[in-house]
Amino acid sequence: MIRKLLSALLLRSFLVNRISTPFEMLLAVALLLGISTPIHADDPTPARYQSILAKAVRHVAEDTLPSVVTIEVIGVMQANGEVRQDAPTSGVVIDEQGHVLTSSWVTGGDSASIIVNAPSGKRFPAEVVAKDEHRDLVLLKVSSPDETWQPIAFSTNDPANDKVGETMVAVARYGEHNTPMVSTGILSAVGRLDGTAIQTDARISPAFYGGPLVDLKGRFRGIVIPAVGEGGAEDPTAWYDSGIAFAVPSTIIAQKLDRLRRGENIQQGLLGFVVAGSDPYAEGTELSVVRKRSPADKAGLKVGDELKSIGGQIVTRRQEIKLALGQYDAGDEVEIEYERDGQRMSSAATMIATIPPLQPQFIGLIAADEVTEQTEEEATEDESDSSTSVIVQHVWNKSPADGKLKVNDRLIQLDGSPILDSNAMRQRLWASDPDIPIELTIERDGKEQVVSVDPLTLDGPLDRIEAFETTKSSPADEWTVETLQLPDITNAAAIWYPKQEPTVDTSPTEAPKTPLALAIVLAPPKDRDPSAMLAPWKDLARQHHVAVCVICSDGDDQWRPNEVDAISKLTAASLKQSSASPSAVALIGGGAFMLDEKANPADSMALGASLSTVNVFSGVAISNETEPPAVRLRKDGPPRLLRVLIPSPPNSELPFWAETLRRIGCPLQTTLTLNRDLCLQWTRSLLAM
């Protein structure tokens, strides 16, 4: 009777948020769950606290384990032709018919068979019914006509009631003996992985993938998946046992089960637009790109529209847009509210799984942003008091723009939509359709006119572009070598650059300044003196007006994946030191640096660094024998404005990774051979869009 009374009082306190100490909370849990333990409210020692928590965890784990199975993946074929057996993982029984939900861990490679070890100890073969590729879930059907299955109970918990700090329990089984495994933690965060997951600090190993996450009331809260935060690592399992783990909420799983049981694969939905700006957390939702024939295009969205809400959720920055869209799958319809020319509008778009790969286009001009201050009459209360114009600085000879555009032309619109800035224009050319003329509205000599330009596709043999030009060499004393030293970077680096902008002959049709490009050269690991290694680049760099920075690996044996950050920071320092254009930064691998060698570790590092960063580099030149690094490529990310230059001798085949790069929108440019002169000419051509 006393236990019931205390239980009722503590429950009431719990519901009205009056429980304030860990001991009181655990005491309430113990009473509510019927855990038999003496009550000593005046003894809140750590040992007492741990005892009550341990009993509560054991209680919910014992209730959950009958719905947890072990899954073995047998006979996975590796790239080298050998067969392996993957480490066992877990799964959750979701109905009495033998459907088991698990993580994408079991389908990470082609396997000969999938075996489910039931709680009874019996082993059964299973087949994949469907995959939720958006959330890294897989539904299996176990062939077991005589087995009795105990499905997990789906709670009716409202995600809005999720409280960060709640105790969470991850439950799993391991090995042929179905050994129970339990890990505890708290609910660390909600709305993670673009709104598709919750986060816990429970220490998770691969055995827990596919297993349930429950709370101290025994409610099923989610399924643990192999995942890392965006940009956190190339391998989605890299954070296991780190105290950072993710689970797909059970409320979302319940919404998708019927589709999965019908055998429908679920994929992430895409709309086909890009929001202006590079900082995902900065204020602003203005569209800088709308892909042709994409759901956004079909819904009537245009460049310059400012998004206001998605699916009823207000958005003010790019990260909020990603969170709002994260809940939708391909095939779902989403309502989009936006503002155009001061008027609120709305439209519905049906999301799709794939958008045709970009075929980046090239017209052959260098343009710069010109910021002008507006008058009080021109500026409104909610607008900036400055405006940006895009001015033509240079037109490449024999390019599509040659004879159509002139220096100092002001670019106003592209295909009827305003040009926000030079970077946005570059992105739009990257997303333009091939073989379709581009209509540019320009201002020349104070008058507007429309110019039609037939673009070229960047992908293909480099000599098709014919965009190479050289500038007048500047005196040697105007260039200097300086070492680059950053407080938190141990990589040796040195840069060759002009201390002052060289004076060039100008005429009324030429731009007053010649932009400087930047080549970042990664040295083979055995080379340790960056200043000495600059020597063969110096004359060519002055000739082509390209600053050159040589970066050495941290160790003398190899380039390591974690050096991407060092390369990015040294690149930023090189841009600041040289005042080079950030739109023309090439990353050059060791194969081009050491003319007597083919691919070396610097080539793989160059490719990995260019793909692991977003628009830090506008080009990467590497050997065609480069070993590709393990890099996670997001198909829903912003366009990568990255050209890839490789040698392609006669009768040679392109590397197997070439199509992957094309699929994510990186044009592959080929030449007969790579050398320093060609690499610097090509680096300078990156200035042109």
Side-chain angles (χ1 to χ4, degrees):
M1 185 68 184
I2 293 176
R3 179 181 296 278
K4 290 182 179 179
L5 178 59
L6 284 172
S7 176
L9 290 173
L10 285 168
L11 175 60
R12 181 177 181 276
S13 296
F14 181 78
L15 292 175
V16 297
N17 295 320
R18 291 179 180 171
I19 290 179
S20 58
T21 69
F23 181 80
E24 290 174 335
M25 184 272 291
L26 286 173
L27 184 60
V29 170
L31 290 169
L32 289 170
L33 298 179
I35 297 175
S36 179
T37 183
I39 300 174
H40 300 285
D42 58 346
D43 183 25
T45 63
R48 185 73 184 147
Y49 176 93
Q50 292 170 2
S51 175
I52 295 177
L53 176 61
K55 289 181 180 180
V57 170
R58 282 198 297 271
H59 184 90
V60 298
E62 288 170 358
D63 280 353
T64 305
L65 276 168
S67 302
V68 181
V69 301
T70 301
I71 301 174
E72 300 173 39
V73 182
I74 300 174
V76 178
M77 184 67 70
Q78 300 185 112
N80 60 8
E82 296 183 2
V83 176
R84 74 170 191 269
Q85 177 174 337
D86 270 357
T89 185
S90 297
V92 178
V93 179
I94 59 157
D95 60 30
E96 297 176 350
Q97 289 71 49
H99 283 101
V100 172
L101 200 59
T102 184
S103 77
S104 58
W105 175 267
V106 303
T107 55
D110 294 330
S111 61
S113 59
I114 298 173
I115 302 298
V116 170
N117 196 349
S120 65
K122 297 179 182 179
R123 292 160 55 85
F124 303 101
E127 293 183 351
V128 175
V129 177
K131 303 175 185 178
D132 185 343
E133 298 176 7
H134 187 181
R135 301 170 186 84
D136 289 319
L137 297 175
V138 176
L139 182 65
L140 304 176
K141 177 66 171 66
V142 185
S143 300
S144 56
D146 300 325
E147 183 73 5
T148 300
W149 299 98
Q150 180 172 322
I152 198 164
F154 280 81
S155 71
T156 57
N157 178 65
D158 185 346
N161 295 328
D162 287 341
K163 302 296 182 184
V164 171
E166 292 182 82
T167 298
M168 293 285 126
V169 182
V171 183
R173 292 185 183 272
Y174 181 81
E176 60 183 17
H177 300 297
N178 270 349
T179 304
M181 299 180 68
V182 175
S183 181
T184 61
I186 62 168
L187 182 64
S188 308
V190 297
R192 297 288 278 115
L193 303 182
D194 296 343
T196 63
I198 56 177
Q199 181 179 323
T200 177
D201 70 347
R203 303 186 75 85
I204 298 299
S205 66
F208 283 90
Y209 296 147
L213 190 69
V214 298
D215 59 24
L216 284 184
K217 294 183 180 180
R219 297 177 300 183
F220 173 40
R221 301 293 290 274
I223 287 182
V224 178
I225 58 172
V228 299
E230 183 175 356
E234 291 78 24
D235 185 351
T237 67
W239 286 0
Y240 83 87
D241 203 29
S242 68
I244 303 175
F246 301 99
V248 179
S250 58
T251 49
I252 295 178
I253 293 171
Q255 299 170 11
K256 310 300 176 183
L257 275 181
D258 285 344
R259 291 180 61 184
L260 293 173
R261 285 194 183 99
R262 293 195 298 267
E264 295 182 23
N265 289 329
I266 298 174
Q267 295 179 294
Q268 180 180 3
L270 304 174
L271 285 177
F273 61 66
V274 177
V275 178
S278 58
D279 183 356
Y281 298 99
E283 292 282 343
T285 60
E286 191 172 25
L287 300 184
S288 62
V289 174
V290 176
R291 294 279 299 275
K292 298 290 182 63
R293 298 186 298 278
S294 68
D297 183 39
K298 294 177 181 178
L301 292 175
K302 293 183 178 181
V303 171
D305 290 347
E306 186 175 346
L307 302 185
K308 294 299 182 181
S309 70
I310 293 178
Q313 185 173 332
I314 296 174
V315 292
T316 60
R317 51 179 60 90
R318 195 169 78 204
Q319 184 62 24
E320 292 175 350
I321 294 173
K322 293 177 67 176
L323 290 174
L325 291 174
Q327 62 183 300
Y328 294 100
D329 303 316
D332 290 347
E333 186 177 83
V334 57
E335 190 73 20
I336 304 171
E337 186 180 12
Y338 55 96
E339 185 176 294
R340 179 186 300 165
D341 298 330
Q343 294 186 340
R344 286 285 185 115
M345 308 174 73
S346 65
S347 183
T350 301
M351 305 185 79
I352 58 177
T354 59
I355 296 175
L358 294 169
Q359 297 185 50
Q361 302 297 295
F362 170 85
I363 60 175
L365 62 85
I366 298 175
D369 296 332
E370 181 181 81
V371 179
T372 56
E373 298 297 323
Q374 293 181 325
T375 64
E376 293 183 3
E377 292 77 12
E378 293 172 327
T380 60
E381 292 183 1
D382 57 352
E383 290 180 338
S384 171
D385 58 359
S386 63
S387 62
T388 301
S389 299
V390 180
I391 308 297
V392 175
Q393 285 187 314
H394 191 74
V395 179
W396 292 103
N397 290 337
K398 301 181 182 180
S399 70
D402 190 15
K404 302 289 185 71
L405 297 172
K406 295 182 179 181
V407 172
N408 293 324
D409 282 348
R410 190 181 303 273
L411 306 178
I412 300 173
Q413 290 186 338
L414 192 157
D415 289 338
S417 295
I419 298 173
L420 305 177
D421 53 43
S422 58
N423 185 61
M425 180 174 176
R426 192 179 293 268
Q427 288 184 337
R428 291 176 65 183
L429 287 173
W430 216 258
S432 296
D433 287 335
D435 304 322
I436 297 179
I438 291 172
E439 301 293 329
L440 284 170
T441 302
I442 67 171
E443 181 184 302
R444 179 184 298 167
D445 299 328
K447 298 180 180 179
E448 286 192 10
Q449 59 180 297
V450 177
V451 176
S452 179
V453 180
D454 296 318
L456 286 175
T457 301
L458 279 170
D459 192 275
L462 188 60
D463 57 12
R464 292 172 53 254
I465 303 302
E466 296 188 70
F468 295 144
E469 289 192 352
T470 58
T471 59
K472 181 181 295 185
S473 298
S474 54
D477 59 359
E478 291 187 358
W479 287 64
T480 186
V481 173
E482 289 191 16
T483 59
L484 293 178
Q485 293 181 327
L486 300 180
D488 55 342
I489 302 298
T490 55
N491 298 70
I495 183 173
W496 168 249
Y497 72 102
K499 294 187 69 173
Q500 294 181 353
E501 196 66 28
T503 302
V504 296
D505 294 333
T506 61
S507 70
T509 60
E510 291 180 327
K513 294 181 65 175
T514 303
L516 181 72
L518 172 65
I520 304 293
V521 180
L522 302 187
K526 65 181 182 180
D527 294 302
R528 315 303 302 157
D529 186 349
S531 296
M533 287 184 286
L534 280 170
W537 295 87
K538 289 183 176 179
D539 288 342
L540 292 170
R542 288 174 43 244
Q543 176 185 345
H544 299 300
H545 201 52
V546 178
V548 177
C549 174
V550 173
I551 302 176
C552 297
S553 60
D554 193 30
D556 57 7
D557 55 344
Q558 63 179 320
W559 279 95
R560 293 176 173 82
N562 61 4
E563 291 179 83
V564 169
D565 184 57
I567 295 171
S568 297
K569 290 180 178 178
L570 287 167
T571 299
S574 298
L575 285 169
K576 183 178 181 180
Q577 188 79 4
S578 65
S579 299
S581 170
S583 64
V585 182
L587 195 54
I588 300 176
F593 180 81
M594 301 295 291
L595 302 182
D596 58 340
E597 295 186 10
K598 294 185 179 179
N600 66 56
D603 289 278
S604 182
M605 190 67 210
L607 182 58
S610 63
L611 293 175
S612 299
T613 54
V614 179
N615 296 334
V616 172
F617 305 100
S618 39
V620 57
I622 51 176
S623 167
N624 60 350
E625 298 180 359
T626 300
E627 288 293 325
V631 176
R632 298 176 67 205
L633 301 175
R634 290 177 60 95
K635 64 181 180 181
D636 63 328
R640 297 175 182 273
L641 309 183
L642 179 72
R643 307 182 201 178
V644 182
L645 179 65
I646 62 170
S648 182
N651 302 320
S652 65
E653 293 184 357
L654 292 177
F656 67 91
W657 38 262
E659 284 307 311
T660 300
L661 295 178
R662 284 170 167 161
R663 191 164 57 248
I664 63 171
C666 298
L668 200 70
Q669 298 183 293
T670 59
T671 183
L672 292 179
T673 185
L674 286 183
N675 56 57
R676 295 187 183 97
D677 187 27
L678 179 69
C679 285
L680 291 184
Q681 288 188 65
W682 173 76
T683 298
R684 180 159 176 76
S685 78
L686 300 177
L687 287 164
M689 63 178 72

